[in-house]
């Protein structure tokens, strides 16, 4: 039993037995291209599943002689990823803990046979009214059709069409355990399968798919209906010389139905985001067929960096503690204090403090330069009736423009003289280490993390009164709110697949995706670092999508008292109120 200090989570871990093996991975049930399907997994769900897989791995450390979990929560596996957890005794205390913490949520996490135990236990916990959330990896079949239909009835909304918040059954292209016991023996699979189609570790968001029904042919649940075509597919792939030799050695064996090739279970039954069940330090994957090596334990960097005013009146940097399933950093109520250099050696400590107010994620003294891009979304360039730029359009904001995710947007008297105040939601990238002449293929390695920001602009001052330069119309004090925190680039691996948008007084005015960028984050960093050193703490506003006020007819300008919300998937929302300053002198 794990009891986090943050509210609303009470995970119960269940791990099945999975044998370790250094053998190469087996041939998948279908090729990755054949199993490809439109992605319907949100970044929030992907991050949640990845985190829960680490928790499942930690569960295997329980009872290991010399390698087990020690209080408060220490082990050689991934315990240091969850420094806000506490190890407590489980037997005879679950009901007591539920009553003691009624605002917590009971979360069951299971791998292999532990997944089957979680499935059956969830029915009892549901009957007690505890409302559990269940996530399983490689869960075998737990019963006949009547039982699986009952599980579906209890946990799934058949009319919703997206992933359930109550039950997530994760499968893998290489794993046959979810097909056991055999259907000939009367067993069947329940719904809500989330299928990982990628062979090598780790998978990305695009490699996951929410399956349809109980026998989707593009998921593991449909493997029994597609085995007949396996041999012909393998023959088509036999043009590769190495595979041809492999095929000649094993021809005939492949005609055995997939569900009977039991030896394959040892190859990939543990490969869910990470290789599970070893209770050892973090594993680095070199490739699907090149094996694995063990990495030394290293300090854990902040994953969700926030800067905040605590209840004790002090300002801290911290690693936000969020309820599983929640990615909006604006909802952070507690954090682990960070000591040291944010851009160098630092420690995420065991000290947990309560958040009173979120501030700008970086203090002014930690920021070097604020670079911004204009006309960097194709649809925004079109609405502005301007040609697509051949190179990134660069301008700068002063450090004094930075402000926090909930601060008011101050509008000085000069900017009140004429209409033209506008909003621009933007993905913000923060440079984590010195970058000069960086190739595009390596550029994202220099990113500390990402935030969302509002490039507040005054079109009159930007285009007419600024002397041909944009900075004056975009650089007033407080005109670069950003936050609500900085999500590590280790969590957001592809910044070009995120939903981004703006609400003005509760109404959606911008709704787009970062894939519409003309120059993506990696290309932009590669371009800007040519002969110029980007420093740790440099901030990069990457442009805004279509829907700005100046692109509408009639224009939609911001006014005193308006509330602007800019949001980015996987990061959260900044909410800022427009406030006209009083008695400000004219320029």
């Amino acid at each position: 039993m794990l009891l986090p200090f943050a509210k609303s989570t009470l995970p119960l871990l269940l791990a099945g037995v999975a044998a370790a093996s250094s053998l190469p991975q087996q041939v998948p049930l279908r090729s990755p291209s054949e199993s490809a399907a439109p992605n319907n997994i949100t970044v929030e769900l992907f991050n949640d599943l990845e985190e829960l897989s680490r928790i499942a791995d930690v569960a295997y450390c329980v009872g290991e002689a010399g390698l087990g979990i020690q209080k408060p929560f220490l082990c050689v596996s991934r315990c240091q990823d969850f420094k806000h957890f506490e190890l407590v005794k489980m037997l005879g205390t679950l009901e007591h803990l539920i009553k003691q913490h009624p605002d917590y949520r009971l979360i069951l996490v299971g791998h292999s046979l532990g997944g089957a135990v979680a499935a059956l236990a969830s029915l009892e916990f549901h009957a007690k009214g505890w409302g559990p959330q269940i996530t399983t990896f490689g869960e075998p079949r737990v019963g006949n059709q009547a039982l699986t239909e009952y599980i579906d009835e209890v946990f799934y909304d058949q009319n919703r069409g997206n992933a359930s918040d109550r039950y997530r059954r994760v499968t893998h292209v290489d794993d046959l355990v979810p097909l056991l016991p055999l259907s000939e023996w009367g067993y069947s699979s329940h719904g809500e399968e989330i299928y990982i189609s990628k062979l090598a570790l780790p998978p990305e968001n695009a490699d996951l798919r929410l399956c349809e029904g109980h026998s989707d042919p593009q998921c593991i649940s449909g493997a029994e209906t597609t085995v007949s075509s396996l041999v012909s597919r393998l023959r088509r792939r036999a043009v590769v010389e190495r595979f041809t030799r492999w095929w000649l050695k094993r021809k005939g064996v492949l005609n055995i139905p997939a569900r009977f090739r039991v030896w394959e279970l040892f190859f990939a039954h543990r490969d869910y985001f990470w290789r599970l069940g070893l209770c050892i330090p973090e594993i680095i994957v070199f490739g699907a067929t090149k094996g694995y090596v063990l990495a030394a334990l290293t300090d854990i960097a902040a994953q969700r960096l926030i800067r905040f005013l605590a209840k004790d009146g002090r300002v801290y940097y911290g690693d936000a503690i969020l309820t599983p399933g929640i990615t909006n950093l604006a909802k952070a109520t507690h954090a682990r204090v960070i000591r040291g250099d944010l851009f160098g050696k630092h420690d995420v400590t065991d000290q947990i403090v309560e958040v009173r107010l979120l501030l700008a994620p970086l203090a002014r003294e930690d920021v070097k330069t604020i670079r911004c891009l204009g006309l960097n979304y194709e649809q925004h360039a079109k609405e502005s009736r301007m040609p697509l730029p051949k190179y990134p359009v660069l301008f700068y904001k002063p450090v004094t423009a930075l402000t926090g995710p909930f601060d008011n947007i101050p509008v000085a008297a000069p900017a009140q003289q004429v209409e033209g105040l506008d909003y621009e939601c933007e993905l913000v990238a923060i440079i984590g280490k010195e970058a000069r002449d960086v190739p595009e293929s390596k550029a994202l390695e220099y990113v500390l993390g990402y935030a969302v920001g509002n490039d507040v602009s005054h079109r009159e001052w930007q285009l007419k009164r600024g002397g041909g330069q944009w900075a004056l119309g975009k650089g007033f004090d407080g005109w670069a709110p950003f936050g609500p925190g900085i999500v590590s680039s280790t969590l957001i691996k592809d910044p070009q697949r995120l939903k981004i948008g703006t609400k003005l007084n509760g109404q959606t005015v911008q709704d787009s995706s970062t894939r519409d960028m003309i120059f993506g984050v990696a290309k932009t960093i590669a371009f800007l670092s040519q002969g110029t050193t980007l420093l740790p703490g440099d901030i990069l506003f990457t442009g805004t999508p279509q829907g700005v006020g100046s692109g509408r007819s009639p224009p939609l300008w911001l006014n005193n008292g308006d509330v602007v919300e800019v949001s980015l998937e996987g990061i959260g929302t900044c909410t800022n109120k427009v406030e006209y300053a009083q008695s400000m002198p004219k320029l």
Side-chain angles (χ1 to χ4, degrees):
M1 172 71 66
L2 302 179
L3 179 62
F5 294 113
K7 291 185 178 181
S8 303
T9 48
L10 182 60
L12 173 62
L13 304 187
L14 302 162
V17 178
S21 173
S22 59
L23 296 174
Q25 293 186 355
Q26 76 279 17
V27 177
L29 295 177
R30 55 190 62 81
S31 69
S33 61
E34 289 172 322
S35 62
N39 177 264
N40 50 6
I41 299 296
T42 65
V43 173
E44 290 88 346
L45 177 57
F46 177 88
N47 291 339
D48 193 17
L49 295 176
E50 185 277 330
E51 183 177 56
L52 290 171
S53 72
R54 285 184 279 137
I55 294 176
D57 188 52
V58 168
Y60 276 97
C61 292
V62 177
E64 293 287 338
L67 296 176
I69 303 176
Q70 303 174 16
K71 290 188 176 182
F73 195 68
L74 303 172
C75 67
V76 299
S77 182
R78 303 180 185 278
C79 289
Q80 57 182 333
D81 292 8
F82 304 96
K83 292 187 176 182
H84 58 297
F85 279 13
E86 177 188 3
L87 180 67
V88 300
K89 294 181 179 180
M90 187 188 74
L91 295 178
T93 64
L94 180 56
E95 188 165 1
H96 171 73
L97 288 172
I98 293 290
K99 292 179 179 179
Q100 184 178 0
H101 303 282
D103 54 342
Y104 280 35
R105 187 173 191 183
L106 178 64
I107 297 177
L108 308 184
V109 184
H111 173 237
S112 189
L113 294 178
V117 174
L120 298 175
S122 67
L123 296 175
E124 178 182 353
F125 296 159
H126 169 76
K128 290 179 177 291
W130 293 348
Q133 180 193 79
I134 308 94
T135 301
T136 65
F137 303 93
E139 174 194 328
R141 290 166 171 168
V142 296
N144 59 18
Q145 184 174 352
L147 177 60
T148 56
E149 287 179 352
Y150 178 67
I151 293 176
D152 290 347
E153 180 182 348
V154 170
F155 292 107
Y156 308 144
D157 180 355
Q158 303 295 334
N159 298 319
R160 188 183 55 256
N162 54 6
S164 170
D165 182 49
R166 300 195 59 195
Y167 207 123
R168 289 85 64 90
R169 181 172 66 89
V170 186
T171 64
H172 189 277
V173 62
D174 274 352
D175 187 10
L176 303 181
V177 168
L179 298 178
L180 299 174
L182 304 178
S183 58
E184 288 87 340
W185 299 347
Y187 286 81
S188 62
S189 304
H190 59 88
E192 206 70 14
E193 178 185 350
I194 298 176
Y195 177 67
I196 303 176
S197 63
K198 186 179 181 181
L199 300 180
L201 294 174
E204 299 179 355
N205 176 268
D207 302 315
L208 272 65
R209 180 177 187 272
L210 177 62
C211 306
E212 298 180 4
H214 293 197
S215 56
D216 190 329
Q218 293 183 314
C219 297
I220 201 72
S221 58
E224 290 185 303
T225 63
T226 60
V227 167
S228 60
S229 62
L230 176 62
V231 175
S232 62
R233 291 172 182 167
L234 290 176
R235 287 195 181 104
R236 291 197 299 270
R237 295 170 60 189
V239 294
V240 180
E241 182 179 357
R242 185 177 65 175
F243 184 79
T244 301
R245 293 196 300 268
W246 184 89
W247 164 263
L248 292 174
K249 285 183 179 181
R250 293 160 177 78
K251 189 173 182 180
V253 176
L254 296 177
N255 292 317
I256 300 175
R259 62 187 184 279
F260 291 115
R261 296 199 297 275
V262 180
W263 60 87
E264 294 185 355
L265 302 181
F266 297 104
F267 297 158
H269 181 44
R270 299 182 315 282
D271 288 352
Y272 286 88
F273 295 91
W274 313 93
R275 175 149 285 191
L276 307 180
L278 302 181
C279 189
I280 53 178
E282 181 176 356
I283 297 171
I284 297 179
V285 182
F286 283 93
T289 61
K290 295 184 180 179
Y292 303 85
V293 298
L294 302 182
L297 288 172
T298 58
D299 293 337
I300 298 298
Q303 297 294 292
R304 297 178 175 89
L305 174 69
I306 58 174
R307 178 170 160 267
F308 61 97
L309 176 66
K311 287 294 183 70
D312 62 9
R314 300 177 63 186
V315 174
Y316 296 94
Y317 278 112
D319 195 5
I321 300 172
L322 295 178
T323 301
I326 300 297
T327 60
N328 186 355
L329 287 175
K331 297 184 178 181
T333 59
H334 293 77
R336 297 186 296 276
V337 173
I338 296 173
R339 308 286 187 191
D341 181 3
L342 288 177
F343 304 102
K345 185 175 177 54
H346 63 270
D347 180 38
V348 181
T349 70
D350 293 326
Q351 181 185 357
I352 296 176
V353 295
E354 189 171 355
V355 176
R356 179 181 175 183
L357 175 67
L358 289 176
L359 307 175
L362 294 178
R364 287 182 180 177
E365 58 266 25
D366 292 323
V367 176
K368 303 300 187 297
T369 302
I370 306 172
R371 294 174 173 86
C372 309
L373 297 190
L375 296 175
N376 194 33
Y377 281 71
E378 184 173 341
Q379 295 303 316
H380 173 53
K382 290 180 179 178
E383 75 173 353
S384 301
R385 296 176 292 279
M386 299 184 71
L388 300 185
K390 295 182 178 180
Y391 303 99
V393 178
L394 178 66
F395 64 94
Y396 293 82
K397 282 187 179 240
V399 174
T400 51
L402 290 179
T403 189
F406 301 116
D407 293 335
N408 289 343
I409 299 171
V411 182
Q416 301 176 30
Q417 296 173 0
V418 63
E419 289 184 326
L421 189 63
D422 211 344
Y423 50 83
E424 293 189 7
C425 63
E426 305 201 7
L427 179 150
V428 179
I430 295 85
I431 301 299
K433 56 184 179 180
E434 285 193 12
R436 188 176 191 274
D437 297 324
V438 174
E440 183 178 345
S441 61
K442 301 289 186 181
L444 296 184
E445 298 176 8
Y446 293 82
V447 176
L448 175 72
Y450 303 96
V452 63
N454 187 352
D455 176 17
V456 182
S457 307
H458 197 293
R459 305 306 182 189
E460 178 76 13
W461 283 94
Q462 174 189 351
L463 301 175
K464 297 180 180 180
R465 302 189 183 191
Q469 298 290 330
W470 288 5
L472 188 58
K474 289 173 170 282
F476 285 92
D477 288 353
W479 280 23
F482 81 116
I486 299 172
V487 176
S488 170
S489 56
T490 62
L491 295 181
I492 297 180
K493 299 179 181 179
D494 185 358
Q496 307 308 144
R497 298 179 60 89
L498 305 177
K499 295 178 181 177
I500 186 170
T502 300
K503 289 184 178 181
L504 175 58
N505 298 324
Q507 300 297 315
T508 299
V509 290
Q510 288 184 286
D511 185 9
S512 185
S513 169
T514 55
R515 63 166 51 94
D516 190 48
M517 281 188 188
I518 300 170
F519 306 101
V521 176
K523 187 180 293 293
T524 298
I525 291 174
F527 179 83
L528 295 180
S529 68
Q530 296 177 106
T532 301
T533 302
L534 307 183
L535 296 174
D538 279 0
I539 293 177
L540 176 60
F541 279 68
T542 60
T544 193
Q546 76 279 7
V548 296
S550 59
R552 296 170 178 268
S553 183
L556 180 62
W557 303 126
L558 297 178
N559 293 294
N560 189 35
D562 284 346
V563 176
V564 185
E565 303 170 66
V566 292
S567 301
L568 186 61
E569 184 179 13
I571 294 173
T573 302
C574 294
T575 303
N576 308 96
K577 183 178 180 180
V578 177
E579 181 181 48
Y580 281 15
Q582 303 297 321
S583 301
M584 297 293 292
K586 296 182 180 181
L587 291 180

